[in-house]
Amino acid sequence: MDCSEAGRKMEAFLRNELSIMDMRQYLRHIRECDACRSELELENIIRSAADETRTAECGYDFSHSLSDLIEERETRIRAYGFTTLLDLILSILIIGTIAAGIFL
Ligand SMILES: [Zn+2]
């Protein structure tokens, strides 16, 4: 993902509307690219400051805000990966059971 694509995806990322694939690529870019990370950080602070429930929570200290957000998204990606793996194992078991039923 390049910077212009990351810029386009930022809005969707903040709204939590990116697909897991896009989110993974976006976060990878954010980790490597200081410019896009700063842009996201700034945008996140602006949004947090505009959201009264969040300013009440963190008392106008937004220093952990973005890392919390990124952590939350990464947890979602990991949870998704785990679910996909479980699905795969389950599918293999089902196919195995069906195959066993046919051939035995
Ligand atoms: Zn960038």
Side-chain angles (χ1 to χ4, degrees), residues 84-94:
T84 313
L85 186 67
L86 282 181
D87 279 350
L88 186 70
I89 292 169
L90 201 63
S91 307
I92 291 169
L93 284 176
I94 291 168

Side-chain angles (χ1 to χ4, degrees), residues 36-104:
C36 289
R37 198 188 157 86
S38 309
E39 203 182 328
L40 176 65
E41 212 152 345
L42 187 67
E43 190 63 32
N44 186 50
I45 288 171
I46 292 168
R47 272 155 204 258
S48 303
D51 184 343
E52 280 180 28
T53 54
R54 284 182 68 185
T55 51
E57 257 170 47
C58 61
Y60 292 95
D61 174 15
F62 301 114
S63 49
H64 302 294
S65 188
L66 184 66
S67 42
D68 286 354
L69 185 73
I70 288 175
E71 187 129 327
E72 192 256 320
R73 299 291 196 272
E74 281 176 339
T75 306
R76 256 191 69 192
I77 292 172
R78 275 197 297 274
Y80 177 80
F82 186 63
T83 315
T84 313
L85 186 67
L86 282 181
D87 279 350
L88 186 70
I89 292 169
L90 201 63
S91 307
I92 291 169
L93 284 176
I94 291 168
I95 291 167
T97 310
I98 293 169
I102 293 169
F103 295 111
L104 293 177

Side-chain angles (χ1 to χ4, degrees), residues 1-4 6-7 29-30 32-37:
M1 182 178 288
D2 60 17
C3 291
S4 64
H29 183 86
I30 288 300
E32 289 165 0
C33 177
D34 286 344
C36 289
R37 198 188 157 86

